[in-house]
Amino acid sequence: MSPVSAQIKAISIALIGNPNSGKTTLFNALTGLNQKTGNYPGVTVDKHTGYTKLKTSTEEFKLQITDLPGTYSLFPKSLDEEVACKELLGLNGTQHDVAVVVTDASTLKRHLLLATQVIDLKIPVVIVLNMIDEANKAGLKIDAAEISRLLGVKIALVNSRTGEGLDDLKLKITQAKESVNTFIETTRLQVVKAGAQNFREIVVTQFTGDADYKLKLQQFEEKDTVYRFNTINYIFARCVKSPQESTRKLSYTADKFITHPVFGYLTLLFVLFSVFQIIFFLAEYPMNWIESFFGWAMEVTAGALPQGQLSDLLVNGVLAGLSGVVIFIPQIALLFFFIGLLEDSGYMARVSFIMDKVFRRFGLNGKSVIPIVSGVACAVPSVLGTRTISNVKERLITIFIIPLMSCSARLPVYTLLISLMIPDDAVLGILNLKGLTLFGLYFLGFAATMLTAFVLKFIIKNKEKSYFVMELPVYRLPQWKSIGIIVVNKVKVFLWEAGKIILAVSIVLWFLSSHGPGDSFDQVESKYALQIETANDLQREELEKTMESEKLENSYAGILGKKIEPLIKPMGFDWKIGIALITSFAAREVFVGTMATIYSANDAENVSSIREKLVSEKNPETGKPVYGFGVCLSLLVFYAFAMQCMSTMAVVYRETKSWKWMTGQLIYMTGLAYISSVIVYHLF
């Protein structure tokens, strides 16, 4: 405990606990931050730091709180658990004054294993009995004072979801002391390391890399766990009284159906199918409003400003680019709302459980499920989430295949192209055909993920055994506030991170598509000037469209697109699509903004929506629509498989520490996308 000033004392706190003990919810409640939470193990895979204050009648404290990834013991089995243990032990260079061990009060016995290990490190400890409301509802009678006496540490009763008990917890943190009690069989210390005086020396030994200790540590851990649970059983029997009938019965009853070998998979399919149907059905109305608004804004802006470079930049550069971003907010928001709903209710943990048996046939296990399913939202945090997978081979396969899942960045591309190729028809009178198509694309991504994993299973050689142990949390009503915060934050990230790239690309593209080398534009205008002057109204409109198309073809963007056209022509793409493929290499969603800007340069009136512009685009050679079924399907397949995300490539390199994996992933996905698009285009 070190003084910051004469009045304020600073205390550094490590927040540690089993996965899904409510650590991060408690961290958010204490610090006011909004780290991601979920009702399943392994949500936190890296440490996060925040601050809070406490003022008593005599002193003022500044509490620095570090939220650590969940771990079941101080003998880690995965990368995220290793991060937690090293940080607690101060091996990362940071020493903490107090360890706060967060436990789930309704499953206290299992959590006390870690608690006794932390106490044996001989550091000041406070134990939090979190979710005390659920323990009370379950009829558990917990004698917290007796537990405190037997463990020799302060106990705080907290409901982190409502904030109840937080002030008491802060006060007890400032009063925390080392326990005088010990829960280790001290005579066994010497078996692992000659001269060892305490439990801390044994725990630190596992990070020294000395292979001689590995087998001894494994034997020590097994016997130490048995010894501790003998003590824990005594404490639990003395301090916790359980009712004969538990309210957890509802969760168990629901799980008989939801984790059933047949009904479990049918339930999963029904849930995912319903989500995509609802997304397309509900999002259509606000998307139409946004589209109408931008059409009106572009018309007003074009009419209010004198014709010239500034008007052209605002209408065809800025507004056209922005419309390509903002219009997809309703779908992005709905997607993250449903993901938050599934995570917070506890259903996502059940998905891991039922999919474990299936995933094992593809070289994965149940721990791969949540990172892969979370890839539907974004691949970057999902790749980080693979730290919970202890088996190296399974982790590498999971990292490799995650980008094949259709993330939220693909959603704007899918939506635009589906709206071009699929009519507004209903199947069986109630099912949205566009929603069915979207569901099919997500299923396509999942199928590619599994097939790729199956092949990698035979390529990557590793004899390390894997296991899957997951605690199924009880079902809980979602925290609507947390889900709301997640949705708002994700929309902000989409608007800001993707929006600034799209806007910048749109402005650059506006310049490239509105200007050409030398006097090329003047020559095109001179070519059509006399014809336009002598034509009637109908002819004049057609001639002006032809002239704008020819100017675009002679622009810098047109020249660049023509250069790559031979490479992409087998996929059915023209030079305009080629430009969008290049600009969207950094982020897939840039495709839509690019198309909006390119086709705005080809729209003399500047008021049509991007969908209307693409629908009216004709092939000058055949006179047929450019965006027919074959081209749209080819584009959909390309974006379903192509990497097209610099952030994902960066995080893959960071997590694998290998250029080989990142480069291999890029080459494989790009090749798969190209070949698949060529096949699809020629088939349809």
Side-chain angles (χ1 to χ4, degrees), residues 597-615:
T597 305
I598 289 174
Y599 281 94
S600 290
N602 199 22
D603 180 14
E605 299 297 327
N606 299 326
V607 294
S608 303
S609 70
I610 176 62
R611 277 190 290 188
E612 292 168 341
K613 289 167 185 169
L614 295 183
V615 167

Side-chain angles (χ1 to χ4, degrees), residues 145-153 179 181 183 234-235 238-239:
E146 184 64 3
I147 295 176
S148 175
R149 188 186 72 79
L150 293 172
L151 295 180
V153 298
S179 172
N181 300 337
F183 301 92
Y234 167 76
I235 295 172
R238 187 181 176 93
C239 304

Side-chain angles (χ1 to χ4, degrees), residues 1 7-11 52-56 58-63 170-171 174-175:
M1 211 174 288
Q7 292 77 34
I8 303 176
K9 291 182 179 177
I11 304 177
T52 188
K53 292 180 180 178
L54 175 68
K55 191 173 184 179
T56 67
T58 57
E59 294 177 295
E60 188 171 351
F61 298 90
K62 181 180 181 182
L63 310 180
K170 292 180 190 177
L171 185 62
T174 66
Q175 301 167 346

